[in-house]
Amino acid sequence: MSLPPSNPITRLTRRLALPGWSVLSFSLTIVAGALLAAALVTGALVVFWVGVPIAVFVLLAIRAWANAQRRVIGGQLGIVIPAPYKPRVKGRLDQQALSMVREAATWRDVAWLAIDATLGFMVNLLYLSVFGIAVYYLVQPLLLATVFRHTSSPVVNNFGFYDFDTAAKTLMLVPLALACGVAWWRWGELLLRWYSYLGVVLLGPTAKTVLTARVSELREARDQTADYAAAELRRIERDLHDGAQARIAALSLTLGMAEELLRDSKPEEAAKLVGEARGECSAVLTEVRQLVRGIHPPVLADRGLSGALQAMSLDHPLPVTVVDRIPGKLPPPVEAAAYFATNEILTNITKHARASKVCIIVEHVAGVLTIEVTDDGCGGAKVAPGGGLDGVRRRLSAFDGTVEVSSPEGGPTVVTMSIPAAGGRIADQVVL
């Protein structure tokens, strides 16, 4: 992991904020020392029954401390360190304690606890000491010349061999302050970053944990996709049975009645029934076309995702701007998923956003198709179980895709979908 790229102003701000991070880390090292002592005492008491509930409490406290460390280190480095713990076992206290003890993540937390209580204490103390010396001896001449000017004998800088107790004398300590300031500026950030990356190694999930979690996510995505496909098949069957099939059955009866009228030499009445049947046939054809469009739009097969999004923007009741930066052709399953996901988001905007315009930006960079849908509505959108955005998330999870929502109250709302996809030549065009 590495720090995200930033401009000089951001780098300067981050470096000036490091003393605050170090103070926070230093306070956590003190907590680490207390927890380490508690863990050692608990290890001695765990052979007795009274030590079991204490062990559970201490282990949970260590996990809370480790999670605080993950947030502090992640905030300092600009990364996210996920917690690698398994779901907590429910049951007797001895079962809970045994489950946590068996986890490799627990022992990694304990290892970092011991390191942070010793090495972390010294690293942060050294960093803060160098920073404090630089600030103290740079500011001290000014303080002695102003605030403490009328003090008869200020007790400062008593080194045993010489008392720097006046503003003029403390000017001789400015080179020391400058040297500490240069050391802090040059090596302080490197020291804290090195120590923070050591924490990432121990506090972050192992490759095995990441792989296990990934397999679980893929299994869940597969199950959700299978459920979604089964629900879609049931919907298609229901639409065909209740809609087109019933209309065709009625059409057959109408034509049968027309046939009987022709046999009875009643051509005018038969012609009337045939006209009705013709109108019903057109209605059935329209309904079947709508059903087919819901399964796989013809425009998607004919013109690809670009053309399908353009057609979708023209049919939408709001003004929709499409900024198209996608390849000429993508894999059909990816195009279908992107099309229906975008259509679902536009439907949600129409129902809930109270927006006046929508912008869709589609691009393909480094093998990832990204679709960003922005509206100027009221905001407040979120991914709720069973909601439209949750359906989009479940649809894209089958393709290892993600959905991110930024929707503060008052808007604007930005929904960003990312789908891994192979692509070819990129062409840019703007469609209004």
Side-chain angles (χ1 to χ4, degrees):
M1 299 180 185
S2 61
L3 286 172
S6 56
N7 55 46
I9 296 179
T10 305
R11 290 198 302 269
L12 176 62
T13 304
R14 186 181 68 244
R15 184 166 297 189
L16 294 177
L18 279 179
W21 288 110
S22 183
V23 170
L24 186 57
S25 299
F26 185 74
S27 63
L28 288 176
T29 63
I30 298 175
V31 177
L35 288 175
L36 183 61
L40 293 175
V41 173
T42 303
L45 294 176
V46 78
V47 294
F48 307 102
W49 174 251
V50 69
V52 174
I54 297 177
V56 173
F57 175 77
V58 171
L59 289 175
L60 291 177
I62 292 175
R63 287 194 173 187
W65 170 86
N67 285 329
Q69 284 276 17
R70 291 184 181 95
R71 289 192 293 270
V72 171
I73 295 175
Q76 181 180 337
L77 297 179
I79 60 177
V80 176
I81 306 176
Y85 307 120
K86 297 178 182 178
R88 184 180 171 185
V89 174
K90 297 182 179 179
R92 300 196 312 266
L93 290 177
D94 57 339
Q95 294 176 340
Q96 296 182 29
L98 185 61
S99 173
M100 287 187 285
V101 167
R102 286 177 174 174
E103 278 195 57
T106 299
W107 293 103
R108 291 161 66 87
D109 287 349
V110 173
W112 181 244
L113 185 74
I115 292 173
D116 198 54
T118 52
L119 180 60
F121 181 85
M122 292 185 291
V123 167
N124 287 283
L125 182 61
L126 175 62
Y127 178 86
L128 292 175
S129 297
V130 173
F131 177 75
I133 290 173
V135 174
Y136 180 72
Y137 288 118
L138 281 176
V139 175
Q140 194 180 63
L142 181 61
L143 293 177
L144 289 176
T146 56
V147 179
F148 300 107
R149 181 177 57 183
H150 300 294
T151 304
S152 58
S153 57
V155 182
V156 291
N157 309 321
N158 185 3
F159 293 113
F161 61 92
Y162 188 79
D163 292 339
F164 300 88
D165 53 0
T166 64
K169 292 179 181 180
T170 53
L171 288 176
M172 292 186 290
L173 296 176
V174 171
L176 173 63
L178 293 176
C180 290
V182 171
W184 169 78
W185 187 264
R186 179 64 181 85
W187 294 294
E189 183 181 10
L190 295 178
L191 178 65
L192 291 186
R193 286 180 60 181
W194 165 80
Y195 185 71
S196 297
Y197 281 126
L198 179 61
V200 172
V201 172
L202 285 176
L203 294 177
T206 62
K208 181 179 179 181
T209 304
V210 173
L211 180 60
T212 302
R214 186 67 186 132
V215 170
S216 299
E217 290 177 1
L218 291 176
R219 186 183 295 113
E220 181 182 358
R222 180 200 62 190
D223 295 340
Q224 291 178 349
T225 303
D227 294 341
Y228 182 80
E232 282 293 295
L233 288 176
R234 289 193 297 270
R235 181 187 66 81
I236 294 171
E237 179 184 7
R238 183 175 61 253
D239 291 346
L240 286 173
H241 181 271
D242 298 339
Q245 182 176 338
R247 286 177 175 270
I248 292 174
L251 178 62
S252 176
L253 291 176
T254 302
L255 291 176
M257 294 172 60
E259 183 181 8
E260 291 294 332
L261 290 174
L262 287 175
R263 290 175 180 174
D264 294 340
S265 301
K266 298 179 180 179
E268 294 181 358
E269 296 181 8
K272 182 178 180 181
L273 289 177
V274 170
E276 294 178 359
R278 182 178 180 183
E280 186 68 16
C281 185
S282 299
V284 171
L285 183 59
T286 301
E287 186 172 338
V288 171
R289 285 175 177 171
Q290 292 177 349
L291 181 63
V292 171
R293 187 178 296 111
I295 299 173
H296 192 83
V299 66
L300 192 60
D302 298 339
R303 300 170 55 188
L305 182 59
S306 298
L309 291 178
Q310 295 167 16
M312 185 190 302
S313 67
L314 295 176
D315 293 337
H316 199 268
L318 296 176
V320 179
T321 302
V322 178
V323 181
D324 179 9
R325 302 190 185 112
I326 59 178
K329 193 66 177 175
L330 292 173
V334 173
E335 289 189 334
Y339 174 85
F340 286 112
T342 306
N343 185 58
E344 179 67 25
I345 292 175
L346 290 179
T347 302
N348 284 348
I349 292 174
T350 304
K351 292 180 178 179
H352 310 293
R354 300 199 297 271
S356 61
K357 59 182 178 180
V358 182
C359 178
I360 302 175
I361 301 177
V362 192
E363 59 183 356
H364 186 271
V365 179
V368 177
L369 176 65
T370 303
I371 305 174
E372 181 181 284
V373 184
T374 305
D375 68 76
D376 61 349
C378 58
K382 58 183 179 179
V383 182
L389 292 176
D390 184 58
V392 173
R393 180 192 63 79
R394 288 187 285 107
R395 181 188 292 273
L396 298 186
S397 64
F399 299 87
D400 200 17
T402 59
V403 178
E404 297 180 1
V405 180
S406 174
S407 183
E409 292 295 336
T413 297
V414 181
V415 179
T416 305
M417 299 172 287
S418 300
I419 311 173
R425 184 179 61 84
I426 297 177
D428 293 0
Q429 57 179 338
V430 177
V431 181
L432 298 179

